[in-house]
């Protein structure tokens, strides 16, 4: 059975104290209320908080994520953070290829692919984001575009490596906009992506890969989205800043 995920991406939000309170609440609620052992809650907190916040997590049900990394192991990369640094403070997952980084920081497929390799080399789990713009969807090239992000970012991996990757399909037009892809639109893309993986790695491998949906996931739409056969959970931005709502999303499988 594929692992299910509720992964939060706090982005550049919360002060240290606010974040500490939010994470403590999430950890406590998840410990008390989440009964499905196949669901993993992942919390992507701001970089400066990782070291301290890792110590607030005292349950296997919750794991710490970073929102970014640099692919190089060390060196003259001012302001950047290597995967081994993240690992050393208890990070288990790293969000990469997020559209905000691709668009605002000009991160291309090759750079994202290098991050995948660096994360896997340290034994952490990449959460590989992909997704099309509204213009690409309206032009009817959304499948081709996302397929190319996959091919360029992941298809150099062996099957065993690929199995360690979590994927997040995030249509850019749905991120932070309050507009959610319909469950049918999400399912259609997820199925296409799983078929694309199967075309290279075989159906057995493709069936093992968790593909999350991201884009205005909220407590009131999570159940319908997560009910689709190829949607294995969500990457959640805005709604992950509310402990009650985020925990409810994690309970929506
Ligand atoms: C995200 O940033 O990955 C995201 C999906 O944001 P939101 O849930 O706010 O749309």
């Amino acid at each position: 059975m594929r692992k299910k995920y509720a992964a939060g991406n706090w982005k550049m939000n919360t002060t240290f104290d606010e974040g500490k309170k939010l994470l403590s609440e999430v950890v406590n609620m998840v410990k008390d209320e989440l009964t499905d052992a196949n669901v993993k809650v992942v919390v992507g907190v701001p970089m400066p908080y990782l070291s301290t916040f890792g110590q607030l997590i005292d349950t296997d049900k919750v794991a710490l994520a970073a929102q970014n990394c640099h692919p190089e192991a060390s060196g003259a990369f001012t302001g950047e953070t290597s995967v081994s640094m993240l690992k050393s403070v208890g990070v288990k997952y790293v969000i990469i290829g997020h559209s905000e980084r691709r668009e605002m920081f000009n991160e291309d497929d090759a750079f994202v692919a290098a991050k995948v390799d660096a994360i896997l080399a340290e034994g952490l789990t990449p959460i590989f984001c992909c997704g099309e713009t509204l213009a690409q969807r309206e032009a009817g090239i959304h499948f081709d575009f996302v397929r190319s992000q996959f091919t360029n970012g992941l298809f150099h991996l062996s099957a065993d490596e690929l199995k360690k990757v979590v994927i997040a399909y995030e249509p850019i037009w749905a991120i932070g906009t309050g507009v959610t892809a319909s469950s049918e639109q999400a399912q259609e893309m997820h199925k296409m992506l799983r078929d694309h993986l199967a075309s290279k790695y075989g159906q057995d491998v493709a069936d093992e890969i968790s593909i999350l949906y991201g884009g205005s996931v909220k407590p009131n739409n999570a159940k319908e989205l997560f009910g689709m056969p190829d949607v294995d959970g969500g990457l959640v931005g805005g709604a992950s800043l509310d402990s009650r709502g985020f925990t409810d999303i994690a309970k929506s499988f």
Side-chain angles (χ1 to χ4, degrees), residues 184-237:
E184 291 77 20
Q185 283 173 319
Q187 169 58 25
E188 183 185 42
M189 181 62 86
H190 285 223
K191 170 84 169 65
M192 186 285 292
L193 292 175
R194 202 175 302 287
D195 289 347
H196 189 47
L197 290 176
S199 72
K200 175 160 168 76
Y201 294 98
Q203 196 64 49
D204 288 356
V205 173
D207 283 342
E208 282 189 42
I209 313 289
S210 298
I211 307 181
L212 320 186
Y213 166 79
S216 298
V217 175
K218 308 285 178 208
N220 65 1
N221 59 26
K223 208 171 194 61
E224 187 180 340
L225 286 160
F226 298 175
M228 303 311 280
D230 287 289
V231 178
D232 305 309
L235 179 55
V236 185

Side-chain angles (χ1 to χ4, degrees), residues 9 11 98 170 174-176 214-216 235-238:
N9 174 14
K11 311 193 188 190
H98 194 282
E170 300 206 300
I175 296 179
S216 298
L235 179 55
V236 185

Side-chain angles (χ1 to χ4, degrees), residues 144-194:
D144 285 346
F145 179 74
V146 180
R147 213 182 279 125
S148 78
Q149 287 183 316
F150 251 54
T151 307
N152 297 339
L154 297 173
F155 272 24
H156 62 287
L157 300 177
S158 68
D160 283 343
E161 288 169 333
L162 183 81
K163 285 191 216 169
K164 295 174 184 146
V165 177
V166 173
I167 286 157
Y169 165 60
E170 300 206 300
I172 295 171
W173 46 272
I175 296 179
T177 59
V179 179
T180 315
S182 68
S183 47
E184 291 77 20
Q185 283 173 319
Q187 169 58 25
E188 183 185 42
M189 181 62 86
H190 285 223
K191 170 84 169 65
M192 186 285 292
L193 292 175
R194 202 175 302 287

